[in-house]
Every structure is written in structure tokens, then in C-alpha cells.
Amino acid sequence: MNGEDDARPAAEDPARDAAEDPSDPFGDKKFLSEKRLAGGPAAKGRRRPKGGVRAIDSEAEKKIDAAGLAASHGAGDAIEALRLDVMSLERVDVERLAAAEDDQSRGEYDLKWTPGADGLPPHCPVTPLGKKRGVFFFLTPDCELIELAAGNFGQAHIDALFAPQTNYLMMMYGATSAKSNTKRIKYEGVRRNLMDACGRRGVFDPADKVRGRGAWKNADGRLVLHQGDVILIDGAAHAPGVHGEFVYPARPRLAPPLGDGLAEARAAARRLLLYLQCWSWRGGALDARLMLGWIVASLMGAAIDWRPQVMVTGDSGTGKSTLEGLIKAVMGDRLLDVADATAAALYQTLGQDALAVAFDEFENEDDARGAAVMRLARLASSGGRVARGGADGVPTNYQARGSFKFSAINPPSMRPAEQNRTTILALKPHAEGARAPIVSAREAEEIGRMLVARILHMWSFWPERFDCFRAKLAAIGHSNRGQDQFGTLLAAADLALNESSEGLNEEWPEIAPMLAPSARGETSGALPNWRRCLNHALACQPDAWKGVKFKQVGQALAAYDAADPEAWSTHELQTRLGYVGLALVVARGAGEDEYPRTRWLGFPQRHPALAKAFEGTDWSARRGADGAWIGAISQAPEDAWRRGVFRVAGAKERGLLVRLDVVLEQDEDDAKEEKNDE
């Protein structure tokens, strides 16, 4: 084969120029015309590629012996050596392959080849992955993920798909024109073969099957570290591509792990903890430890089931920006550092990467953008999916899988679901004479790379370490959410600092009181959803009550239940509650031993006045639908409420009846004592 002849521009072929047609982007008309000129009906006997599923080349699955490389290169350079050896895997030599094939023509192409199981030529450098709703997915020769819509299989798109091995197309799909004796690529055949190959693979959803840079966990729990150009599975290096049931495409390179993850890595973690303790944390050394835990947990990315969020707060001059610079230098490209971005920009930038996000100056500006970013961070904690509709009718899916860190002088208000996912780390002004540590960029980078090596070495101990901290947090009263949040931060820090969990038992008595739910701002005010709903109803100040002795619903109910001499009568209270859409229900003929189960507060399923009271809250009602307050109140303990029919302002309503002592947060025994005192 003559490489110069193969590379001649198409403009030198007069027959081809005459056949160019803008309405024929794939060359179908021209191809059929040439078939007729080349022999008409005789062309029917030509052989076409047959289908199937192509076996994966075993060379692409080549593993490197990490222990052998560590011995030959030294522990500190072992991972770098792995990367170099993987990148030196031999590519298909198309010229040698051409020489090994039979050079006689058979069918429509100059080179004789037998199609593989998926219908593609042998040793095809492009890997078909599948298709979804008219979009076809491939891995290029460099393992970059490419998606092509059905209308984007023109010559330039196909050439780009095969780059940098475009000569493969001329070799396998090149045909010499009998009329002009010039050779060109039959792109129509390439297009059909590629589409058929994806069709044989079946439906492919990148949101489920593609994993970008960062840490992951495979089906059997092993740690998978996507370095961009190298995939580390239990420390063994692989080329990017298909591994197991997931696709790990090539991405920009991340700094490789450094060292063996043993004593040197522990020392680096302790040195970083000392640096973090130079800031004046309101929670003292515990907050510095939680900050270290966030850094380590962020490096573990999607490999851990819960990804904690932190909010660093403090006035101007407390060192938030300096702290941000240190964390960025340690984490490098594993951290997306932004100061102003929308939620859509964040998940489009991250794509399938499982990297952390640091959002500086996240102030309380009462805008929808901040709320959307907080919602994205909330979804990222447990790997929630974001789906957005596309202009072409094909939705875009993104699964958030990274930890977020916010910093602000005045942090925005957070919903309970966001608050219990975010640990608040408050900074105070530096003490007199104190200052932030000076850490060189080189040292910070080495610390970060050693932490990654530490995670690789200690990964098998993570489940046990995490469960141990969750159990200890449960013993001091934390909910499941608190166990996940603080357990992840503490276990991640402990994994980096200690070889075993023995140190945990020594340190726990000292830090446990500071971690009690009542001692943490994130959990001290946490109330269940049903209680917050009832409290909102008690705080209502009806417009119809202006000018009367009781301004709030809760005040009137408390006075009535306590038999206050100034309390309204049963009839008057029922009338005034009707203005709010509530009902006071008192059981008739009940014995004294049944008190306080004889008094109930009724919440109708639908009522315009009650809908107005809950307007703008999480328990509001849509027009013509039941109020969300019904679902919230039904989350209360089963003996606290029942369904029933009652009257509101004279009209019968269906809804929930809540015991008045529960509404007023009154202990049942105390209520009976007050009743006896009457």
C-alpha cells in the first residue's frame, strides 16, 4: 500500500467531484451509483460483514504487577511507574496488520478482512458501547467517550471518532475506483457498521454506566481510583476503558498517589491536622479534626455511601480565604473551586466525575440560584439524580456524587433536610500574635497525594471504622442522619491518622460531649417534620383575632387547656378557631380517667383559611388538593392522632384529630395533675 496515494486529496478525483451532492451527506446515492457502474446485478454476490458482539481484546485488560514495580522503582514512585507502563501499551500497528492480510480484493474494499462478532473489522480501535434514542456511544482509540446523533455520521465526524488512527479507515474501508484508479474511503460502510455494532450492544445509558475521575467502588466492594489516564483497581493499574459493567473513559490526568500509604502518609495527615489547628475554630480541635475528615472523605468521592457537606463561617479577617487556599492546594484538581456558579453549571462541569466542590462566598442573598446549589449539594450527599429535559426531546441525566464545602460570612438559611446534611464549622478571629501557617504549594500537593495513597492502603478497613463511629454516635443520641454525617467525618479523619481503631477508644471520652446532639448547632434545634408543622399552626396570628386578648392560636389553646379564668369558653374558642380553619373537639360523657384524651384539635383535609395559614411553607396546599399538612401530621406517633369527621365553622369536614396535649407538647401525667388541681 502506498501511503502517499492513500492521502491524496479528494479534489484530484474528477469523478468524485462530479458526484458530490449536498443532499447526500453520507454518500449513499453516490455509493449506489458506483455499484451499478461496477457491475450492476453482479454486485449482489458481494459479501457483507456479519453481526454479533466483538470480544474485548485481552491486551486492553492487561494488568501491571504493582508489587514488582514498587520493588524496582521504589515505593514512592510505584504508582507513577504504573501509569507510565499502562500508557506504553502497544497500539495496533495498522501497517503490520495490512501486510499480514491477504492483499487480494474481495467484496467492495481493497483489503480482504473478516468481520468480527460485532460486524467491525479486526482490531478496530473504536469501541462501540450502545445506543439510546438515536444517540450512539463510542470509545475512541484514546478511550475518550464520544456520542454521535444519527444525523452526525458525516465524514468529519467519523474521522474525528477514529483519530489518531484514521489510517485504519483507509486500510479497512478503502476502495479503488475502477474508472479513475483512485482510492477513497467508503464512509457509508463505516457508518452502517458502527451503527449496527452499537445496536448489537443494546441500550446504553451513560448516567448509569460511565464513571469519571475520582474514587468509586465496584460490585465486590473494591476501590476503583480513576486517575484520568490510569484506572487503579486495588492498586493494580489498567488502561481506561470498559472494566466490569462500567466504562471508565480517559479524562485529564489527576496527580497520582505518592508513597505506600503507611507511616509517611500518617505523618502527612497529622501534619495537615496541625496546620488546620492554627485557625481559631469555635469548636476547638474537634472542628479542625472534622475539617480534616471532610478533606479525606472528599478524596474518597463516590466510593463511600454518604458524602458529607460542611459550611465554614466567620467574619471578615478570620482566615476563610487562606483556609480555602490551603485546601485547594492539598486537593488539587480533585476539587472544583468556584465563587459564583449556578447549579446547572456545576453539574455540567462535573459531568460523570466524582470530585468535590468548594463554593466560596456563599452568602445569604435570598436568590433562587443559591437555593438550587444547596439542593444539588443535598442530592450529592446520597447520590441523588438530576434530570433535565432537552430541546430535542432527549433528557439529560446527572448523578451528583461529590462532597460540597461552602464558606460565608452570613450563610444562607437552610431547610432541615439541608441543615442535617451540613456540618457548621465556625471561625473566630485569630488570637493576638497568631497567624495562619505558611505551607508551600509543593508540600501541600505532596500531602494530598499521600492522603490518596493512604486511602488506597486503608480502604479495606473503612466499613469497620465507619460502623464503629456510627455506633458510638447512636449511643449519645444521634439520629441516623447524624450518624451518617458525623460518622463519615470522624471515620475519614481516623482512617488517615491511625493504623488501627485503638486510638479511638482513648480519644472518644474527650470528644463525645462536644458531639452530643444538644451541643451541635446542626442538631440541637432539630425537630421532626410533624412537630414543626404543629408549631407553625400554633404560631398563627389570625387577622380575625385582632383586638382580642389572645393573638396566637397556641396562646388561646394553652389558656383553655389550663382552665385559665380569662380563657375563652369552649363555644367561643371553637368559633374563633373556625376563622383559621381549625376545630376544637371535646368528647362528651368521658370519664376523668380518660383525660387528656378527650380534647382534640381538628385539621381538615382541605380548607381555604387553613391553606392561607400554611401558605409559603413546606405544608402548603395546591388548589383543589389536600393540604400537605395532613401528610406531615400523620408522621406523628400513632397514638397521638386519629382520622375523623368534625365541624369547622358549622360545616362537616374530614381530616385528622390530634390530641390537644400532644399539640401543646404537654406530658400526659402533668395534664392529669393539672386537671385534678382544678
Side-chain angles (χ1 to χ4, degrees):
M1 298 176 63
N2 191 325
E4 296 181 358
D5 292 340
D6 295 345
R8 281 192 301 175
E12 296 181 9
D13 186 356
R16 180 179 179 181
D17 293 342
E20 291 291 347
D21 185 357
S23 66
D24 184 22
F26 298 127
D28 295 341
K29 297 178 181 179
K30 182 169 52 179
F31 173 72
L32 294 175
S33 175
E34 289 178 354
K35 285 185 68 175
R36 287 193 295 270
L37 291 174
K44 294 181 180 179
R46 293 175 179 169
R47 299 182 60 180
R48 303 289 295 169
K50 298 181 179 179
V53 179
R54 181 168 61 94
I56 298 175
D57 188 354
S58 61
E59 188 69 19
E61 296 290 332
K62 180 179 179 182
K63 295 184 178 180
I64 308 300
D65 184 353
L69 286 171
S72 60
H73 295 278
D77 299 328
I79 300 299
E80 179 66 13
L82 292 176
R83 185 188 72 82
L84 294 175
D85 280 3
V86 168
M87 297 309 293
S88 66
L89 291 178
E90 183 181 14
R91 289 181 177 173
V92 176
D93 187 339
V94 293
E95 296 295 337
R96 188 175 65 183
L97 180 62
E101 295 286 351
D102 187 350
D103 198 29
Q104 294 182 352
S105 299
R106 186 184 73 177
E108 58 186 314
Y109 307 122
D110 288 349
L111 182 65
K112 171 185 175 181
W113 54 268
T114 302
D118 55 5
L120 293 174
H123 304 290
C124 181
V126 171
T127 303
L129 299 175
K131 67 185 185 69
K132 180 182 178 183
R133 301 185 67 176
V135 179
F136 299 80
F137 299 90
F138 304 92
L139 286 179
T140 68
D142 289 335
C143 285
E144 183 182 4
L145 179 66
I146 297 294
E147 56 183 72
L148 293 177
N152 291 338
F153 275 82
Q155 297 182 12
H157 293 92
I158 293 176
D159 285 343
L161 181 63
F162 278 81
Q165 297 191 32
T166 54
N167 283 342
Y168 181 90
L169 291 171
M170 182 63 74
M171 181 181 68
M172 293 298 182
Y173 291 93
T176 302
S177 172
K179 184 176 180 180
S180 61
N181 199 31
T182 59
K183 188 173 183 179
R184 67 181 184 85
I185 299 171
K186 291 282 191 176
Y187 283 98
E188 188 273 343
V190 183
R191 172 172 63 91
R192 290 183 181 277
N193 286 169
L194 290 175
M195 285 184 169
D196 287 347
C198 282
R200 294 185 179 98
R201 292 283 186 179
V203 177
F204 180 83
D205 189 349
D208 294 328
K209 296 299 183 182
V210 176
R211 291 180 165 185
R213 295 176 300 172
W216 303 86
K217 183 171 60 176
N218 63 12
D220 57 0
R222 293 186 298 166
L223 183 67
V224 180
L225 197 63
H226 192 329
Q227 288 291 113
D229 55 352
V230 174
I231 312 300
L232 298 175
I233 304 178
D234 268 356
H238 304 257
V242 180
H243 297 284
E245 58 180 309
F246 297 103
V247 178
Y248 299 86
R251 298 278 289 123
R253 180 192 179 200
L254 297 176
L258 179 62
D260 55 10
L262 295 174
E264 191 176 6
R266 289 201 310 274
R270 290 170 182 170
R271 192 161 70 251
L272 178 58
L273 180 60
L274 290 176
Y275 290 151
L276 293 173
Q277 290 173 349
C278 293
W279 276 265
S280 182
W281 300 97
R282 192 170 299 278
L286 175 61
D287 280 5
R289 191 185 189 97
L290 294 174
M291 189 73 255
L292 172 65
W294 182 86
I295 295 172
V296 178
S298 298
L299 294 175
M300 289 193 280
I304 53 179
D305 297 328
W306 183 263
R307 290 165 284 280
Q309 323 300 332
V310 297
M311 173 76 74
V312 179
T313 67
D315 203 351
S316 178
T318 55
K320 296 189 304 299
S321 298
T322 310
L323 175 66
E324 181 77 18
L326 173 62
I327 295 174
K328 174 61 179 175
V330 169
M331 299 185 67
D333 290 339
R334 289 180 170 86
L335 179 69
L336 176 61
D337 187 21
V338 296
D340 185 15
T342 64
L346 287 176
Y347 64 70
Q348 288 173 5
T349 301
L350 289 170
Q352 284 93 14
D353 289 347
L355 304 179
V357 176
F359 206 119
D360 197 16
E361 298 182 9
F362 193 69
E363 302 295 332
N364 184 22
E365 297 177 351
D366 193 25
D367 58 4
R369 289 196 308 167
V373 172
M374 288 297 297
R375 186 163 55 250
L376 178 63
R378 185 182 70 205
L379 294 173
S381 293
S382 54
R385 178 168 295 187
V386 177
R388 294 291 183 269
D392 54 357
V394 179
T396 299
N397 292 289
Y398 166 72
Q399 191 170 8
R401 288 167 290 206
S403 296
F404 278 66
K405 183 186 77 67
F406 302 98
S407 62
I409 297 176
N410 299 302
S413 60
M414 291 182 282
R415 293 175 176 270
E418 297 161 350
Q419 188 173 7
N420 60 28
R421 287 169 167 81
T422 307
T423 298
I424 307 298
L425 303 177
L427 288 172
K428 301 183 295 183
H430 285 294
E432 185 176 353
R435 64 173 185 173
I438 299 176
V439 185
S440 68
R442 180 183 180 84
E443 181 186 3
E445 180 192 5
E446 290 180 350
I447 289 175
R449 293 172 59 192
M450 288 182 185
L451 289 178
V452 176
R454 179 68 175 169
I455 293 169
L456 282 170
H457 172 69
M458 294 292 292
W459 173 249
S460 60
F461 300 99
W462 169 256
E464 176 187 358
R465 200 70 57 95
F466 177 55
D467 289 343
C468 182
F469 273 100
R470 287 189 91 256
K472 289 185 174 294
L473 289 164
I476 61 175
H478 273 281
S479 64
N480 287 334
R481 183 67 72 243
Q483 295 168 36
D484 288 337
Q485 178 72 11
F486 289 102
T488 301
L489 294 172
L490 293 169
D494 189 70
L495 198 75
L497 295 169
N498 301 314
E499 191 67 25
S500 68
S501 58
E502 295 178 358
L504 170 63
N505 296 325
E506 299 176 2
E507 301 170 351
W508 184 253
E510 180 181 351
I511 64 176
M514 296 182 286
L515 285 168
S518 59
R520 299 295 309 186
E522 309 91 332
T523 54
S524 61
L527 292 173
N529 182 51
W530 66 270
R531 169 52 61 190
R532 291 187 292 109
C533 180
L534 291 179
N535 287 353
H536 179 83
L538 295 178
C540 286
Q541 300 183 27
D543 293 338
W545 288 20
K546 290 182 178 179
V548 298
K549 64 181 72 175
F550 299 112
K551 306 298 183 185
Q552 293 179 317
V553 170
Q555 290 177 332
L557 289 172
Y560 173 80
D561 190 64
D564 191 311
E566 297 186 357
W568 289 326
S569 66
T570 301
H571 177 71
E572 186 176 4
L573 181 57
Q574 288 174 333
T575 301
R576 293 192 179 278
L577 286 174
Y579 298 153
V580 196
L582 298 171
L584 176 64
V585 179
V586 180
R588 297 179 181 178
E592 292 296 325
D593 59 337
E594 297 183 44
Y595 185 84
R597 298 175 182 270
T598 58
R599 299 178 180 183
W600 306 77
L601 185 63
F603 289 80
Q605 295 177 178
R606 304 179 189 180
H607 198 282
L610 192 56
K612 184 177 180 181
F614 281 110
E615 188 176 10
T617 70
D618 293 337
W619 313 286
S620 60
R622 291 185 295 110
R623 181 180 300 177
D626 291 350
W629 59 81
I630 293 295
I633 296 173
S634 64
Q635 297 169 3
E638 293 182 0
D639 65 341
W641 61 275
R642 62 182 175 85
R643 298 188 181 275
V645 179
F646 45 87
R647 291 187 179 273
V648 178
K652 281 189 176 182
E653 299 283 354
R654 292 184 177 274
L656 299 183
L657 291 165
V658 187
R659 283 169 39 193
L660 191 57
D661 63 309
V662 173
V663 174
L664 297 174
E665 295 187 88
Q666 187 179 37
D667 184 78
E668 185 171 340
D669 294 333
D670 292 342
K672 289 181 178 179
E673 290 179 5
E674 291 179 6
K675 180 65 178 177
N676 293 332
D677 292 341
E678 296 175 14

